[in-house]
Amino acid sequence: EIVMTQSPATLSVSPGERATLSCRASQSVSSNLAWYQQKPGQAPRLLIYGASTRATGIPARFSGSGSGTEFTLTISSLQSEDFAVYYCQQYNNWWTFGQGTKVEIK
Amino acid sequence: EVQLVQSGAEVKKPGESLKISCKGSGYSFTSYWIGWVRQMPGKGLEWMGIIYPGDSDTRYSPSFQGQVTISADKSISTAYLQWSSLKASDTAMYYCARHENSAAAWGWFDPWGQGTLVTVSS
């Protein structure tokens, strides 16, 4: 099983600042990586697939990068609605999720 | 609009059986895999299994093989997740999600159902 490790567990950021979330795979997943956002009481929402392609309707302030085993989700200027938990997911070999990064208001 | 609508919250006792549902609309239900994902209270996401409603081809995560059964009725565009004997540790939110095909062997999940909360308590 491919293990996905996200860091940090919690990220405290002020509105308007940049947030950088990391995701590491235990073995190469090529670019077969997605990012999801989950707000309290809601289902996850797809943000990014193919490591760097924004899903339909996702604002340009969200960007993804990386390949192989190291990936990054960047939120360029945090808005109030962006405070949530973010999960990475590999789909190179079945599916596994990272444990999540909570982005909270500083 | 592509939509997955799940059945409502359930409260069950240990040992009881349960079948929850996920109804797809706005797309060809038989042409996309549907996955199930567990989220235990305060925890992360775990893939459980996936089904192709077109021919009911089903795959299970090793962690859930033998613990649950996934099925689908394409005539009513509905996928199911069922338990024959619930345990307290099955208490969780369960999500269905449509699998997006990609050039890779597998793809991502989008959209997701709203979730079904299953509570198992004596």
Side-chain angles (χ1 to χ4, degrees):
Chain A
E1 176 183 305
I2 298 175
V3 177
M4 306 301 291
T5 303
Q6 292 184 242
S7 61
T10 303
L11 187 61
S12 298
V13 186
S14 299
E17 288 189 340
R18 182 186 195 90
T20 303
L21 290 66
S22 295
C23 175
R24 174 177 292 178
S26 60
Q27 63 189 77
S28 177
V29 299
S30 186
S31 295
N32 298 317
L33 185 109
W35 289 94
Y36 300 87
Q37 176 193 67
Q38 187 178 35
K39 297 179 182 179
Q42 295 186 18
R45 178 176 73 142
L46 176 72
L47 297 176
I48 300 283
Y49 62 89
S52 60
T53 302
R54 277 190 305 277
T56 302
I58 301 303
R61 64 180 181 272
F62 291 92
S63 63
S65 63
S67 66
T69 61
E70 300 283 343
F71 301 89
T72 301
L73 175 69
T74 301
I75 311 170
S76 60
S77 177
L78 270 157
Q79 307 298 302
S80 57
E81 63 266 29
D82 300 336
F83 292 96
V85 179
Y86 293 83
Y87 293 96
C88 63
Q89 175 210 42
Q90 68 81 21
Y91 51 89
N92 193 63
N93 184 2
W94 303 110
W95 301 269
T96 46
F97 294 89
Q99 79 281 19
T101 290
K102 181 180 181 181
V103 178
E104 64 176 24
I105 300 174
K106 187 174 182 179
Chain B
E1 180 196 6
V2 176
Q3 204 171 7
L4 297 174
V5 177
Q6 297 185 229
S7 50
E10 301 274 1
V11 180
K12 292 289 190 178
K13 289 181 166 47
E16 292 185 333
S17 63
L18 176 65
K19 192 174 189 177
I20 63 175
S21 66
C22 168
K23 183 174 177 59
S25 62
Y27 73 100
S28 174
F29 187 73
T30 54
S31 300
Y32 291 82
W33 294 79
I34 292 282
W36 286 95
V37 175
R38 182 176 79 175
Q39 187 168 39
M40 299 180 77
K43 301 298 184 183
L45 305 168
E46 304 171 88
W47 169 66
M48 302 176 70
I50 195 165
I51 187 166
Y52 190 73
D55 61 7
S56 291
D57 186 3
T58 307
R59 317 289 173 88
Y60 292 94
S61 163
S63 300
F64 292 92
Q65 178 82 48
Q67 307 305 308
V68 296
T69 301
I70 293 171
S71 60
D73 184 341
K74 61 185 179 183
S75 69
I76 55 171
S77 300
T78 301
Y80 301 96
L81 176 65
Q82 69 180 89
W83 296 259
S84 58
S85 181
L86 286 159
K87 302 184 280 287
S89 57
D90 292 318
T91 294
M93 182 71 82
Y94 294 88
Y95 294 101
C96 64
R98 192 183 79 164
H99 172 265
E100 280 290 345
N101 303 322
S102 78
W106 296 104
W108 53 94
F109 291 112
D110 181 53
W112 294 55
Q114 83 278 18
T116 296
L117 180 63
V118 174
T119 303
V120 183
S121 173
S122 53

